[in-house]
Amino acid sequence: MTLARAKKHTEFRRLREKAGLTLPEAQELLKVDLRTIYRYERGETRPTRLALVVLRGAVEKAAPPAPSPRAFRFIDLFAGIGGLRLGFESIGGRCVFTSEWDAKCNETYRMNFPDNHEIAGDIRPYAEKPELVPEHDLLLGGFPCQPFSIAGVSKKNALGRPHGFLCDTQGTLFFDTAQIIAHHRPAAFVLENVKNLERHDGGRTFATIMHVLTKELGYHVQHRVISSQAWVPQKRERVFIVGFREPTKFDLAKLKLPDPEKGPKLGSILEPEVDPKYTLTPKLWQYLQDYKKKHNAAGNGFGFSLFGPDDVTRTLSARYYKDGSEVLVAQGPRKRPRRLTPRECARLMGFETAKRRFRIPVSDTQAYKQFGNAVVVPVVEFLAQAMKPHIETAISGKVVPASLVARIVSRPDRAESVSAHG
């Protein structure tokens, strides 16, 4: 049982989510009305025995195939909606533990990864007792962006709040990740964050992270900023930090990336027909034009961005649900522009492709937040493919027992050092 589940789910909901079914799909499968489905979901009515049998059958059908005995094990921390997981499953990895504390992200994650393990919520209790995390060969972690991103720092400064490692909520989560690494000593890890992480606080934040990973945990660590433009029609730069427990021939800096100029254009991910609700209202469109005009007059570059089918967009952000201004789709000279649909966002982030359908069970607002906070999946797939032989080499070597490695992890957020578990 995980430490995460603040709210107990009904047996019906647990089975439905493991089967990867939306409520309407469950209704269609069980041949009952939607009101009955909602009563089952909330626990107001107990499902019939036949309904539970049918749902359990759906769970068995949705279960992933048995992993190869040679499959490496990985854990997915700060998992969001599973972008890092998709990348490393593509090379044969098997996820054995997931942590994500956003309930709406969990809905999307469960719908797309009918799994054999529950999703843990807050990672901090697991950092305090890392033995609760299963053994693994690879740790993946997109630790929270907000304390380090330009937008996040600006927002916190405006509100008079601390940011980075001084933030008592998310800023310390990197060090909780370090506790898990120190205890389990996985063969490798991949961490992902916003590009601005390198420059935050004059570079001191990044230097602290690298010090912990290399000097305190003893890993061989490399990092590189990679843009997504070669894979999707979006300019989205993220820093990837790759560490191996033992020396490795993997060279992230020398990894040859595809030519971004030959990447896809926006038209390749647009839907042929779109609901009129995604077109901006006259009032909002006028506001955005006036806002841009005002800032242009002041010499600032703020304002909306308009894109056509032959363009590559700006970075999709978690604030996209507010007005869509950073990526507006042109609809002709006499028609107001529109937002991307959530389905188009799934494609822009590489979650959905011609070969992979990605399910979106949440509202548009939540979907925009989730995709705006996500990693671009084909970038991770590319990195995973490049790392694959080196991961296989690393896990085939002799494992250093965690109990024999004494590690101290610094906590600048608390002005102290703590002994790592294990």
Side-chain angles (χ1 to χ4, degrees), residues 249-276:
K249 292 182 180 179
F250 177 71
D251 193 332
L252 184 56
K254 290 184 179 178
L255 199 58
K256 187 176 180 181
L257 306 180
D259 184 355
E261 296 305 316
K262 295 181 180 178
K265 299 299 184 280
L266 183 61
S268 67
I269 62 101
L270 297 180
E271 297 187 81
E273 295 184 15
V274 172
D275 192 309

Side-chain angles (χ1 to χ4, degrees), residues 61-80:
K61 285 183 180 178
S68 161
R70 297 180 59 193
F72 63 90
R73 304 158 300 170
F74 67 85
I75 64 172
D76 194 9
L77 306 184
F78 317 107

Side-chain angles (χ1 to χ4, degrees), residues 39-345:
R39 287 197 294 271
Y40 290 168
E41 183 86 355
R42 294 190 293 258
E44 297 169 359
T45 302
R46 179 163 176 77
T48 65
R49 186 176 300 175
L50 178 60
L52 293 176
V53 168
V54 171
L55 271 183
R56 290 188 185 106
V59 170
E60 288 180 12
K61 285 183 180 178
S68 161
R70 297 180 59 193
F72 63 90
R73 304 158 300 170
F74 67 85
I75 64 172
D76 194 9
L77 306 184
F78 317 107
I81 55 175
L84 289 172
R85 174 172 175 164
L86 282 172
F88 282 86
E89 280 189 336
S90 74
I91 61 166
R94 176 169 63 96
C95 185
V96 296
F97 178 82
T98 301
S99 173
E100 171 54 52
W101 68 355
D102 184 279
K104 292 298 181 181
C105 283
N106 286 346
E107 284 186 39
T108 302
Y109 193 101
R110 279 192 292 265
M111 191 63 62
N112 288 282
F113 302 101
D115 230 328
N116 59 351
H117 63 262
E118 297 286 340
I119 299 176
D122 190 349
I123 194 60
R124 289 172 293 188
Y126 292 90
E128 294 293 334
K129 294 183 177 180
E131 65 274 10
L132 295 174
V133 176
E135 292 293 326
H136 52 279
D137 305 303
L138 174 70
L139 178 146
L140 305 178
F143 58 98
C145 298
Q146 198 172 23
F148 311 114
S149 70
I150 294 171
V153 169
S154 299
K155 179 181 177 183
K156 286 180 180 291
N157 282 338
L159 296 174
R161 296 177 184 169
H163 55 84
F165 289 119
L166 295 177
C167 178
D168 288 332
T169 53
Q170 293 183 323
T172 64
L173 294 176
F174 165 75
F175 290 95
D176 294 312
T177 305
Q179 285 281 79
I180 294 171
I181 294 173
H183 176 84
H184 285 282
R185 304 292 294 160
F189 60 75
V190 177
L191 306 177
E192 176 270 340
N193 211 297
V194 292
K195 177 186 177 183
N196 191 50
L197 178 64
E198 291 185 296
R199 302 193 304 271
H200 178 262
D201 195 21
R204 285 182 285 273
T205 296
F206 194 72
T208 301
I209 288 173
M210 294 300 286
H211 175 83
V212 169
L213 296 174
T214 59
K215 304 301 182 184
E216 300 183 9
L217 295 180
Y219 276 72
H220 302 268
V221 183
Q222 309 169 48
H223 70 278
R224 183 174 178 178
V225 173
I226 300 177
S227 172
S228 64
Q229 188 179 344
W231 294 274
V232 295
Q234 177 190 185
K235 295 177 181 178
R236 187 184 192 88
E237 294 182 306
R238 289 294 184 268
V239 62
F240 290 87
I241 304 171
V242 175
F244 282 87
R245 188 184 59 226
E246 309 298 335
T248 177
K249 292 182 180 179
F250 177 71
D251 193 332
L252 184 56
K254 290 184 179 178
L255 199 58
K256 187 176 180 181
L257 306 180
D259 184 355
E261 296 305 316
K262 295 181 180 178
K265 299 299 184 280
L266 183 61
S268 67
I269 62 101
L270 297 180
E271 297 187 81
E273 295 184 15
V274 172
D275 192 309
K277 72 178 183 179
Y278 295 106
T279 297
L280 301 190
T281 64
K283 185 176 180 179
L284 177 55
W285 179 223
Q286 188 61 54
Y287 167 78
L288 291 177
Q289 291 178 92
D290 293 343
Y291 182 84
K292 184 166 187 172
K293 193 178 298 182
K294 181 180 75 172
H295 280 283
N296 283 347
N300 299 324
F302 301 124
F304 69 86
S305 293
L306 196 61
F307 299 96
D310 298 323
D311 294 328
V312 174
T313 74
R314 289 171 55 187
T315 299
L316 184 73
S317 78
R319 70 168 299 283
Y320 191 71
Y321 72 95
K322 293 183 177 180
D323 54 28
S325 61
E326 68 257 37
V327 183
L328 292 176
V329 180
Q331 299 192 95
R334 296 185 180 182
K335 194 170 181 182
R336 298 184 302 278
R338 67 172 178 87
R339 293 179 176 87
L340 294 165
T341 68
R343 180 67 51 200
E344 289 168 337
C345 290

